[in-house]
Every structure is written in structure tokens, then in C-alpha cells.
């Protein structure tokens, strides 16, 4: 019994040393340093962006050169980084009546990234110990850099390069940007419709009338193309023949690209509808949001999750590839929300991208700020010009 008590006492002592307030505070501070540039970029101020970059570099040095309890510090730092970067993912639970699960999802996000950080430390520290000397921090720094290339369930928004955006150093990864402006005016629309109102039957007519008025205004202003946000027409537009005819009629004077859903053969699609010279074309989303539009798990797990959170609904349908539209001989690649932050969209370095988003799911948060940083990164890297029309984000031309 005495031996058992000594073993238990030793275990408690070791555990308390790992969970000491000093270690937690150190990890918390390092995570803040690695994340603060996102929050500074809200202000779009070059001096704050430079300060955020310096904080990021200092945070990376703190992590790489930590000596005592390094594994646990990497674990906790990853946990807090996951929370500071992606806490907002859980906010969408509000609209499925699971708001009480928000703290648990945020904790789960932190655990996922904490384990990723820990795995990289274990792997790369083993190499570092073999090499020893000056190579140890270099190997650990390499491990830290490579963490960003792990994408849980395909989610790729952890990107250390974003710390350079808004600073004079952002050009280090910029590709050749020789894209010209389209030879006509493009009207981008930014709206502020809360997510809980977007699909309300009592408000749909009001929103539709407002959208049609915006189209008429764009025609008066001499625009050749108007781009409305994702879900601008919150309906299965392919089944709303009256609205389709109205948009076809207006497209005799202006090309229209607008977000709406589609329902076909028992499947829902998140789509963009293109109207021009009296004709309509539907463009379905190609890359779906993990756990939002599809469950990226085996079928035996997918069904109970869909039953619990989505009322038994199936995953959204998706297109086989990205699509282009053409206006006056100018080709535009079309993307819907999450697709705009995926490298696959830019694989062929398109000159022009039309992006439709609905960020109301995550208001208020830094989601739109992080999205804008990613869009700027991909625009720079691929020499593309992105025309972004969004609900609860500013309309922007990003190059």
C-alpha cells in the first residue's frame, strides 16, 4: 500500500508540473503572438500589420527555443492557436439550435490542433536530438513551418504566410500579376442580412425586391455585370420559374451572377446562377464545406451525424469541376465562399475570379478577416484578380 501511495504521489506531482500555471501562461502567450496579426489586420493599418508580423516571428522563436516541458508547451500552444484562429466555426451551431454545444466544439477544435502541434514536435524533436548542436532549433523550426500543411478534413485555413499580408514583405511569395482590368464596369454587392432572417419566408419577398432594385440601379449606372452574394436569392431558384423569367428579362440589359440554392433529383446544391442576354446557366459548388455542406466521414458515421444535426438531410450535391462564365469575351472563374480559399481554384492561375460569399453564419467574429487575408494571399501568389461580393463582408476587388 505504501508503494502504491508513493506511486500515486509521484504521478500527481508530475501531472501538476505539466499543468502548472506557468506553463499554461507561457503557451497562452505564445499562441497570442502567433495569432495577433489576424486581429490587427482588422484595422488595415500597415504599422499594425508589421507589429503583428514581428509578434508572429517572436512567437515562433519562443516555441522553437523552449527547453523545459517542450512537448506539453507545443501541445497547449497548438490548442490555443486552434481556438484563436478558428473559434468562430462553432458559431454556426446557433442556426441548428445547438448553441449550447459551442464551448464543446471550440474545445474540440483546440484539441485537434494541439495534437497536430504535439505530433510534429515529437517527430521533429527526435530528429533534432540525433543531429544535436545548432541543428536542433533549425529542425524544430522546419517542423513548425510544416504544421500549416496539415489540413484536418481538408480545412486549410491555418497558413503562416498570412502573417506577411499587409506588410512590405507580402511580395516575397507574389507571382506575376499582369492581369488587366475587364473592359467594362462590374457592380459588386455587399449586404447585411442576418443568417436567421435570410431564409425566413416572411422576409424573402422583401429581399428579392431589394435584389431586383439593385440590379436596376446597376443598369442605370452603366454596369455590364452585377455580382450578388451567395444565397442572395434564398430559394431553390431552379424551381422558381417566375423569378427566373424576371431575371432573364433583366439580363437583356446586364449580366447577372447571383447565389441561390437548387434542388434536383432529391439533392440540394449550393449554386450560382448566371443570366445574360435572356439565357440562364446554373453553376454548382465544386468544393463543399466540411461538416457544413458535407460530412467527410465514412457512411456509417455520416448518417447518424446528419440525423442528429441536419434533420436527416443528405450531403449537398457538388459539381465535378469549377466553371467559367464569359462576358464580352472576358472569362471569369466562378467560386462560392469556401472555394475562394482553396488552392485548387487557382491551379491554372485564372486572370479573373468572381467570388460569392455569405459570412453571416459566423457574425460577429474574425472569420471574414481571416478570409480576406487568404484571398489576398491567393491573389498575390497566382496573379489573379478576385471580385468578391459578400453578405456580412465588404465588397472588394482583391489583387
Amino acid at each position: 500500500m505504501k508503494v502504491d501511495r508513493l506511486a500515486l504521489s509521484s504521478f500527481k506531482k508530475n501531472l501538476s508540473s505539466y499543468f502548472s500555471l506557468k506553463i499554461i501562461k507561457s503557451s497562452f502567450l505564445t499562441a497570442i503572438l502567433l495569432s495577433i496579426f489576424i486581429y490587427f489586420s482588422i484595422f488595415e493599418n500597415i504599422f499594425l500589420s508589421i507589429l503583428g508580423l514581428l509578434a508572429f516571428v517572436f512567437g515562433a522563436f519562443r516555441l522553437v527555443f523552449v527547453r523545459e516541458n517542450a512537448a506539453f508547451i507545443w501541445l497547449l500552444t497548438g490548442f490555443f492557436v486552434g481556438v484563436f484562429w478558428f473559434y468562430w466555426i462553432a458559431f454556426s451551431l446557433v442556426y441548428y439550435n445547438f448553441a449550447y454545444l459551442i464551448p464543446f466544439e471550440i474545445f474540440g477544435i483546440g484539441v485537434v490542433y494541439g495534437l497536430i502541434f504535439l505530433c510534429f514536435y515529437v517527430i521533429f524533436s527526435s530528429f533534432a536530438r540525433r543531429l544535436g548542436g545548432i541543428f536542433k532549433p533549425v529542425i524544430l523550426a522546419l517542423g513548425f513551418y510544416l504544421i500549416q500543411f496539415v489540413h484536418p478534413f481538408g480545412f486549410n485555413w491555418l497558413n503562416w504566410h498570412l502573417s506577411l499580408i499587409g506588410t512590405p514583405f507580402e511580395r516575397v511569395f507574389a507571382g506575376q500579376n499582369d492581369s488587366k482590368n475587364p473592359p467594362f464596369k462590374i457592380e459588386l454587392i455587399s449586404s447585411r442580412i442576418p443568417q436567421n432572417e435570410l431564409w425566413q419566408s416572411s422576409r424573402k419577398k422583401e429581399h428579392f425586391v431589394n435584389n431586383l432594385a439593385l440590379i436596376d440601379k446597376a443598369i442605370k449606372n452603366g454596369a455590364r455585370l452585377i455580382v450578388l452574394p451567395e444565397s442572395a436569392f434564398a430559394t431553390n431558384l431552379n424551381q422558381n420559374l417566375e423569378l427566373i423569367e424576371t431575371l432573364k428579362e433583366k439580363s437583356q440589359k446586364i449580366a447577372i451572377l447571383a447565389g441561390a440554392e437548387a434542388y434536383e433529383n432529391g439533392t440540394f446544391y449550393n449554386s450560382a446562377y448566371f443570366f445574360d442576354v435572356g439565357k440562364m446557366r446554373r453553376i454548382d459548388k465544386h468544393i463543399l464545406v466540411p461538416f457544413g455542406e458535407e460530412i467527410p466521414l465514412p457512411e456509417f458515421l455520416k448518417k447518424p451525424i446528419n440525423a442528429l444535426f441536419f434533420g436527416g438531410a443528405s450531403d449537398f450535391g457538388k459539381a465535378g469541376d469549377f466553371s467559367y462564365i464569359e462576358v464580352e469575351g472576358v472569362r471569369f472563374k466562378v467560386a462560392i465562399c469556401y472555394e475562394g480559399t482553396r488552392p485548387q481554384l487557382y491551379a491554372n492561375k485564372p486572370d479573373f475570379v468572381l467570388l460569392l460569399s455569405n459570412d453571416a453564419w459566423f457574425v460577429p467574429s474574425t472569420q471574414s478577416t481571416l478570409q480576406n487575408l487568404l484571398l489576398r494571399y491567393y491573389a498575390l501568389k497566382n496573379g489573379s484578380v478576385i471580385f468578391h461580393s459578400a453578405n456580412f463582408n465588404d465588397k472588394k476587388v482583391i489583387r
Side-chain angles (χ1 to χ4, degrees):
M1 293 294 295
K2 185 176 181 181
V3 174
D4 290 342
R5 285 196 298 270
L6 287 173
L8 181 60
S9 174
S10 176
F11 174 77
K12 288 181 177 179
K13 183 178 179 181
N14 290 331
L15 192 63
S16 63
S17 68
Y18 282 130
F19 280 90
S20 70
L21 185 59
K22 180 180 178 181
I23 293 173
I24 295 173
K25 287 168 62 177
S26 176
S27 304
F28 187 80
L29 175 59
T30 301
I32 288 177
L33 292 170
L34 294 174
S35 311
I36 196 66
F37 73 89
I38 299 172
Y39 298 82
F40 282 167
S41 68
I42 295 172
F43 303 99
E44 297 184 347
N45 180 286
I46 188 171
F47 298 106
L48 285 178
S49 295
I50 293 173
L51 183 60
L53 173 60
L54 293 174
F56 178 85
V57 173
F58 182 50
F61 267 87
R62 277 177 59 92
L63 191 61
V64 168
F65 285 96
V66 67
R67 292 185 178 182
E68 295 183 0
N69 301 307
F72 195 69
I73 287 177
W74 275 63
L75 170 67
L76 274 182
T77 299
F79 174 87
F80 289 125
V81 165
V83 170
F84 294 152
W85 282 57
F86 306 126
Y87 66 92
W88 46 265
I89 293 175
F91 288 5
S92 63
L93 288 173
V94 170
Y95 306 106
Y96 299 105
N97 297 317
F98 288 103
Y100 61 91
L101 292 178
I102 287 176
F104 299 99
E105 182 170 351
I106 293 174
F107 181 81
I109 291 167
V111 168
V112 168
Y113 283 94
L115 292 175
I116 291 172
F117 271 61
L118 176 62
C119 288
F120 270 78
Y121 173 77
V122 170
I123 293 169
F124 282 84
S125 64
S126 65
F127 287 116
R129 281 194 297 270
R130 294 175 188 176
L131 294 173
I134 61 171
F135 291 104
K136 183 175 181 179
V138 174
I139 297 298
L140 288 176
L142 176 62
F144 170 76
Y145 177 78
L146 293 178
I147 286 173
Q148 66 184 314
F149 298 108
V150 176
H151 304 150
F153 304 106
F155 184 68
N156 66 321
W157 281 32
L158 185 72
N159 187 329
W160 304 140
H161 300 128
L162 302 185
S163 61
L164 299 171
I165 299 298
T167 77
F169 306 103
E170 67 180 10
R171 290 283 171 183
V172 299
F173 49 76
Q176 183 179 0
N177 192 339
D178 55 1
S179 298
K180 299 177 181 178
N181 291 319
F184 48 80
K185 183 177 180 179
I186 299 175
E187 186 76 27
L188 300 176
I189 301 300
S190 176
S191 57
R192 287 290 186 274
I193 304 173
Q195 185 62 30
N196 61 345
E197 292 183 10
L198 197 60
W199 286 86
Q200 284 183 4
S201 300
S202 60
R203 303 296 300 274
K204 283 185 181 182
K205 185 176 180 180
E206 174 190 341
H207 299 325
F208 293 178
V209 169
N210 288 340
N211 289 337
L212 296 175
L214 289 169
I215 293 171
D216 290 337
K217 184 179 179 181
I219 293 171
K220 289 182 180 180
N221 291 338
R224 179 62 182 88
L225 169 65
I226 183 172
V227 184
L228 291 96
E230 177 187 14
S231 298
F233 292 100
T235 184
N236 298 320
L237 185 54
N238 63 318
Q239 298 178 337
N240 194 328
L241 301 182
E242 182 180 351
L243 183 54
I244 286 175
E245 289 305 313
T246 300
L247 291 168
K248 281 183 177 179
E249 182 181 344
K250 292 185 181 296
S251 74
Q252 298 287 358
K253 298 179 180 179
I254 189 173
I256 304 164
L257 183 69
E261 283 195 1
Y263 184 74
E264 186 176 79
N265 299 324
T267 301
F268 286 98
Y269 295 85
N270 189 356
S271 307
Y273 288 79
F274 178 57
F275 298 86
D276 196 20
V277 294
K279 297 180 180 180
M280 183 192 84
R281 180 182 166 205
R282 193 181 96 204
I283 301 164
D284 297 328
K285 195 172 185 180
H286 171 52
I287 300 179
L288 303 181
V289 179
F291 296 100
E293 294 168 327
E294 69 172 348
I295 306 299
L297 294 173
E299 198 65 31
F300 74 94
L301 293 174
K302 182 182 297 187
K303 286 186 176 181
I305 291 176
N306 274 328
L308 178 62
F309 292 99
F310 305 105
S314 300
D315 290 352
F316 274 65
K318 58 183 175 182
D321 202 351
F322 295 105
S323 296
Y324 283 86
I325 63 171
E326 189 170 313
V327 180
E328 303 291 343
V330 180
R331 298 181 78 222
F332 298 88
K333 202 168 190 178
V334 178
I336 301 173
C337 203
Y338 180 58
E339 293 179 319
T341 60
R342 297 289 299 185
Q344 297 94 320
L345 179 71
Y346 306 93
N348 60 344
K349 299 188 182 297
D351 288 336
F352 303 114
V353 172
L354 299 177
L355 175 63
L356 292 66
S357 295
N358 174 28
D359 295 341
W361 289 97
F362 310 108
V363 173
S365 74
T366 50
Q367 178 270 340
S368 60
T369 303
L370 188 53
Q371 180 188 39
N372 290 336
L373 289 172
L374 284 158
L375 294 177
R376 172 68 173 165
Y377 167 74
Y378 283 113
L380 281 169
K381 185 177 180 181
N382 298 284
S384 300
V385 180
I386 304 171
F387 297 88
H388 189 200
S389 178
N391 184 36
F392 272 98
N393 196 348
D394 296 331
K395 59 183 180 182
K396 286 187 177 182
V397 179
I398 305 166
R399 59 179 80 233

